[in-house]
């Protein structure tokens, strides 16, 4: 026998231990998804009202703000890639990185250089392994992002966009993250953050929705100076929340698959172990019967 009965029993025991771990991780991810969804839903009204305010200011003031100004000949683009800090989440991080590669290829075809910014250790390791330059990276909060982290990321990207020249000055800012559609569907996507298009995507006003009227004090320029950075940071925070929910959903799905596979392995090893045990018993019986027959033949020969 290539594998002994004892080895099969050891495999069954180790697989059962692994099953307990994957089952626990599945339950932890499932419990955290609810909180992540609630955080994303609670942040949506603020983002929506802030978008309406920025849209109203941009529409009724006609102010040419640096964050909304389209460059004549964009040459360099910053790309923020949101990945996970930990593994065991299936193809979550690899799907985001593939989407980032597609975006980078499209931007390069337009004649733009790429400046890469990373959220998450998986993306950081991906670029480090391939010796690709990364301007800045942030880690440690992929499944529980904070607004402080989004504020820091937003400030860094805004500074790069507003810089007149230098190695890190950019003409566009894009973010690549995973949008949470449902427990079964998480969609990698990319969004252009800067120059700002203040009404776009899912944030467009609904039919019949009228932008509110505002009086700008002390001036529309000052209002935009205060609102637009907050708008960028809220968009980044919303992307981080969406990515966190997507990461937990992907981890739950991966751990459930691992638990199911462990069940199948246990059944398989148990079946093979039983067959090996039965074969061993049959062989022992055959040896006993053979010994009895040989002894009987020897006695009859005497």
């Amino acid at each position: 026998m290539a594998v002994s009965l004892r080895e099969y029993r050891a495999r069954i025991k180790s697989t059962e231990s692994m099953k307990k771990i994957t089952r626990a991780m599945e339950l932890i991810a499932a419990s955290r998804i609810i909180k992540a969804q609630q955080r994303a839903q609670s942040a949506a009204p603020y983002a929506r009202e802030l978008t309406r305010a920025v849209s109203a200011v941009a529409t009724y003031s006609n102010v040419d703000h640096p964050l909304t100004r389209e460059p004549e000949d964009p040459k360099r683009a910053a790309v923020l890639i949101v990945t996970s800090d930990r593994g065991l989440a299936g193809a979550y991080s690899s799907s985001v990185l593939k989407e980032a590669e597609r975006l980078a290829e499209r931007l390069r075809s337009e004649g733009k250089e790429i400046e890469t910014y990373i959220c998450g250790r998986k993306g950081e390791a991906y670029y480090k392994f391939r010796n690709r330059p990364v301007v800045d990276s942030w880690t440690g909060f992929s499944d529980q992002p904070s607004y402080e982290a989004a504020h820091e990321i937003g400030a860094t990207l805004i500074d790069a966009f507003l810089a007149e020249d230098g190695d890190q000055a950019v003409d566009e800012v894009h973010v690549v993250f995973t949008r949470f559609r449902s427990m079964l569907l998480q969609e990698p996507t990319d969004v252009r953050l800067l120059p700002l298009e203040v009404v776009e995507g899912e944030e467009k006003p609904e039919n019949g929705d009228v932008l509110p009227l505002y009086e700008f004090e002390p001036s529309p320029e000052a209002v935009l100076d205060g609102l637009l950075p907050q708008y960028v940071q809220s968009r980044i925070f919303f992307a981080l929340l969406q990515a966190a929910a997507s990461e937990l959903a992907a981890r739950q799905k991966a751990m459930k698959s691992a638990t199911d596979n462990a069940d199948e392995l246990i059944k398989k090893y148990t079946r093979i172990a039983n067959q090996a045990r039965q074969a061993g018993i049959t062989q022992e019986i055959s040896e006993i019967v053979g010994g009895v027959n040989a002894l009987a033949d020897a006695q009859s020969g005497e």
Side-chain angles (χ1 to χ4, degrees):
M1 241 181 346
V3 180
S4 66
L5 180 60
R6 180 178 298 177
E7 290 175 339
Y8 278 121
R9 287 174 176 169
R11 291 183 184 182
I12 292 172
K13 186 176 181 180
S14 63
T15 305
E16 287 175 342
S17 299
M18 180 179 64
K19 176 186 171 182
K20 292 178 182 178
I21 295 173
T22 57
R23 178 61 177 166
M25 294 185 68
E26 176 189 350
L27 295 176
I28 292 172
S31 65
R32 289 181 176 177
I33 287 174
I34 298 175
K35 185 177 180 180
Q37 286 181 283
Q38 290 174 345
R39 292 188 70 194
Q41 291 171 356
S42 63
Y46 172 78
R48 182 169 56 251
E49 291 305 318
L50 184 58
T51 299
R52 285 163 56 85
V54 172
S55 299
V57 177
T59 300
Y60 299 128
S61 67
N62 295 321
V63 175
D64 183 21
H65 195 275
L67 293 181
T68 62
R69 189 179 303 140
E70 291 281 351
E72 294 181 0
D73 186 20
K75 293 295 185 182
R76 185 177 295 177
V79 177
L80 172 66
I81 307 172
V82 183
T83 65
S84 65
D85 284 320
R86 297 183 294 118
L88 302 177
Y92 168 76
S93 292
S94 62
S95 298
V96 178
L97 291 168
K98 288 179 182 178
E99 182 67 25
E101 294 287 0
R102 285 192 290 268
L103 173 63
E105 183 178 353
R106 176 170 63 83
L107 293 175
R108 289 191 185 98
S109 68
E110 297 172 358
K112 300 170 185 174
E113 299 179 13
I114 307 299
E115 297 290 338
T116 304
Y117 295 77
I118 299 290
C119 273
R121 294 189 179 93
K122 288 297 178 180
E124 196 177 49
Y126 177 88
Y127 276 78
K128 183 177 180 181
F129 179 77
R130 288 161 178 77
N131 294 321
R132 296 183 183 178
V134 174
V135 178
D136 206 345
S137 62
W138 299 268
T139 60
F141 52 82
S142 68
D143 57 347
Q144 292 181 332
S146 64
Y147 190 81
E148 288 75 16
H151 182 278
E152 180 182 349
I153 296 170
T156 301
L157 295 175
I158 290 174
D159 289 344
F161 182 76
L162 294 179
E164 294 295 335
D165 52 17
D167 295 337
Q168 299 180 7
V170 296
D171 302 311
E172 294 180 359
V173 175
H174 300 257
V175 58
V176 183
F177 66 100
T178 305
R179 193 183 298 276
F180 182 86
R181 299 293 189 185
S182 68
M183 289 296 298
L184 299 177
L185 178 61
Q186 299 86 44
E187 181 182 47
T189 185
D190 66 89
V191 175
R192 195 187 78 167
L193 285 181
L194 296 171
L196 281 173
E197 296 175 357
V198 294
V199 179
E200 66 178 26
E202 295 181 351
E203 297 169 350
K204 288 182 180 179
E206 298 177 357
N207 294 332
D209 194 7
V210 179
L211 290 175
L213 295 176
Y214 292 94
E215 292 184 2
F216 309 123
E217 295 290 344
S219 66
E221 292 82 357
V223 172
L224 283 177
D225 286 340
L227 277 181
L228 290 182
Q230 293 186 39
Y231 178 75
V232 173
Q233 291 155 9
S234 71
R235 291 288 298 273
I236 293 175
F237 185 49
F238 187 71
L240 294 178
L241 291 175
Q242 290 275 309
S246 299
E247 176 186 345
L248 292 170
R251 180 165 292 115
Q252 183 196 16
K253 188 188 304 181
M255 292 300 97
K256 186 180 186 306
S257 297
T259 303
D260 293 342
N261 290 337
D263 274 331
E264 293 298 323
L265 276 176
I266 291 171
K267 291 177 182 178
K268 176 183 176 181
Y269 288 148
T270 301
R271 184 175 63 253
I272 296 175
N274 289 338
Q275 291 173 352
R277 183 171 58 84
Q278 292 169 1
I281 293 173
T282 302
Q283 183 177 357
E284 290 177 2
I285 293 174
S286 298
E287 290 174 354
I288 292 172
V289 171
V292 170
N293 291 335
L295 182 58
D297 293 339
Q299 290 176 352
S300 62
E302 294 177 356

